[in-house]
Amino acid sequence: MRAFCFVLLICAVWSDVIFNNHNTCRQSVQRPAQCPAELLNAEKPWRSFDEFNVDGPGFKWPPSEMLTIEAIRPNSRVFALYDGVYMSTLVTTAADGSTGIMIGAPTGFQFTETDANGVVNIVALVRRINPDIQVTHLIIPHGHADHTGAWRQLQKAWPSIIFVGSETTEKWFRSRLDADNRMKLDVLVPRGVAQTFTYGDQTAVIQHTEEVQHLDGNVMVYFPAEKFLHFVDVVVPGWSPFRSNSIGADVVGLVTVTDALLAVMVDNEWLLNSGHVTKLGNRDDVLQTKAYYADLVSAALAGVAFAGGQFAEITQRSGAFVEGHPNFRNMWAVFDLFIDIGADHCRGIMEPKWAPVLFGADLFLESACESMVEKIRLE
């Protein structure tokens, strides 16, 4: 089952590569210098995993060996769980490892105890640290299923487990899921206040950030004594942010929240679990993400200005005002072409700098620029 899911993932990624590699400057009225045909329409090879600094515990071959749990550093009682796509955290809260808390219960860890390939689920993975461990709390990063989907497995294994998350996440669950299909958060964290919690002999700080970024309700969870922070879906160490700026609820908030992370991660001894893919990050990864988003905002502003300078010609080329044209009277055609031209200009600026640096940027810069151009156009 696990290997089959991995094959489907690879097929989906490869399909995305093919379509992105055949992208052009589309309907641009005037192809900008930053968007030459040889850049966006060339046959580009799929950039190799080995060319980037993204290898880590979360990527092992064959896929049946990807499910891994490792201490974040020697002798640490903080453990990162990996499956090649998702990441989670276990923190033991007693010196003998008899109790612990979890941060995140990713959907990818839902599989049965073992399958024919020896793949184990999240409960069995945690029990590799101590077969008799009692998990007392699950801290929910935010409401998306890819970070909460295995909660029932944890509750089945440890019926008295306590669920912790933001007030916003509790409201999000209530607005979308019926009572039989959602967890009820037992401890709620209000927005903007960093609250300190004691779990056994470990001290954690949970903060519902002021910024709305990936999803409202997203919380930072950090352990000052361990110099460790768990915060998902904004920084992905070594990788490009996911499609459409991590499908952000507020793409501008993605830029500003990096400052909140840097205020906690004061040096490179701090480690970050970002919730996805192959490895932990550090302060330098946060700084790199901040620089990426700052460049993206600048490139999107340039894209909006470029498209705005051609607006009269765009309205004509769209066909919305041309009798007999298939788009006649279709005002969406004007906006579609405006956004396309702005996004193409943005991508032409971003790709030469960032595609060689962040793994996957060649796949997702088109959607990143489109999302940011639209955000800036509106705001």
Side-chain angles (χ1 to χ4, degrees):
M1 172 66 178
R2 186 72 173 178
F4 176 71
C5 289
F6 182 81
V7 169
L8 288 180
L9 172 65
I10 290 298
C11 290
V13 171
W14 182 247
S15 174
D16 206 359
V17 171
I18 292 172
F19 283 108
N20 275 278
N21 287 351
H22 285 82
N23 185 30
T24 68
C25 286
R26 289 173 294 194
Q27 306 173 74
S28 299
V29 175
Q30 173 188 342
R31 180 170 286 130
Q34 297 94 335
C35 183
E38 60 268 23
L39 174 64
L40 294 184
N41 199 34
E43 289 289 343
K44 296 177 295 186
W46 187 20
R47 290 179 173 88
S48 166
F49 183 91
D50 295 329
E51 294 178 53
F52 294 82
N53 182 28
V54 291
D55 200 3
F59 190 88
K60 297 187 178 183
W61 198 262
S64 60
E65 296 181 7
M66 282 188 178
L67 214 56
T68 304
I69 183 167
E70 291 189 4
I72 62 169
R73 56 174 67 91
N75 302 315
S76 175
R77 287 165 48 198
V78 178
F79 300 86
L81 290 73
Y82 308 86
D83 79 343
V85 177
Y86 303 104
M87 296 168 61
S88 184
T89 298
L90 166 72
V91 182
T92 59
T93 54
D96 62 0
S98 59
T99 57
I101 64 172
M102 296 287 300
I103 309 171
T107 306
F109 294 125
Q110 287 188 86
F111 301 101
T112 55
E113 185 77 6
T114 59
D115 65 14
N117 295 313
V119 175
V120 295
N121 70 10
I122 191 170
V123 173
L125 198 59
V126 168
R127 285 175 173 160
R128 289 182 185 177
I129 302 305
N130 183 337
D132 299 317
I133 192 171
Q134 294 297 310
V135 175
T136 61
H137 295 75
L138 170 63
I139 302 173
I140 301 299
H142 61 250
H144 283 162
D146 61 334
H147 296 287
T148 65
W151 68 273
R152 289 185 186 276
Q153 284 192 1
L154 297 182
Q155 189 178 60
K156 181 179 179 180
W158 299 288
S160 61
I161 192 170
I162 295 170
F163 298 123
V164 183
S166 69
E167 291 179 344
T168 305
T169 296
E170 173 68 7
K171 293 176 183 176
W172 194 89
F173 283 151
R174 287 180 177 275
S175 68
R176 287 162 173 79
L177 301 172
D178 60 50
D180 293 332
N181 291 300
R182 63 174 173 84
M183 72 186 80
K184 180 183 182 300
L185 298 185
D186 304 295
V187 178
L188 302 179
V189 179
R191 183 188 300 276
V193 179
Q195 293 196 335
T196 300
F197 295 85
T198 299
Y199 300 110
D201 61 3
Q202 296 274 21
T203 299
V205 180
I206 305 178
Q207 183 174 354
H208 178 351
T209 63
E210 291 283 1
E211 299 87 357
V212 177
Q213 7 78 28
H214 172 70
L215 180 68
D216 197 9
N218 207 13
V219 296
M220 295 193 300
V221 185
Y222 54 97
F223 296 79
E226 297 276 0
K227 288 196 168 184
F228 172 79
L229 187 151
H230 188 113
F231 184 70
V232 303
D233 290 330
V234 174
V235 179
V236 189
W239 294 70
S240 162
F242 194 68
R243 179 186 290 274
S244 301
N245 300 312
S246 294
I247 319 177
D250 188 333
V251 291
V252 176
L254 292 170
V255 181
T256 57
V257 77
T258 54
D259 288 328
L261 299 177
L262 293 169
V264 174
M265 301 178 68
V266 296
D267 56 43
N268 265 340
E269 293 183 13
W270 276 81
L271 295 177
L272 169 72
N273 185 327
S274 66
H276 284 286
V277 205
T278 53
K279 68 172 194 170
L280 300 175
N282 58 24
R283 180 180 170 88
D284 284 346
D285 292 301
V286 181
L287 288 168
Q288 185 179 61
T289 299
K290 181 178 180 180
Y292 168 86
Y293 277 123
D295 281 357
L296 182 61
V297 170
S298 177
L301 284 166
V304 170
F306 179 81
Q310 304 179 70
F311 191 72
E313 191 171 356
I314 287 172
T315 59
Q316 180 67 21
R317 283 285 303 277
S318 71
F321 297 93
V322 180
E323 287 194 56
H325 193 283
N327 288 335
F328 182 50
R329 295 182 177 177
N330 185 354
M331 294 305 297
W332 284 172
V334 177
F335 289 95
D336 182 59
L337 183 54
F338 182 96
I339 294 166
D340 279 355
I341 290 172
D344 284 336
H345 188 91
C346 166
R347 183 182 173 194
I349 296 170
M350 289 289 290
E351 188 166 90
K353 178 176 180 179
W354 288 104
V357 176
L358 295 178
F359 192 43
D362 52 339
L363 304 184
F364 287 156
L365 271 171
E366 180 182 356
S367 64
C369 280
E370 185 172 290
S371 295
M372 192 64 78
V373 162
E374 180 66 351
K375 184 73 173 178
I376 287 172
R377 183 188 72 81
L378 291 172
E379 296 187 1

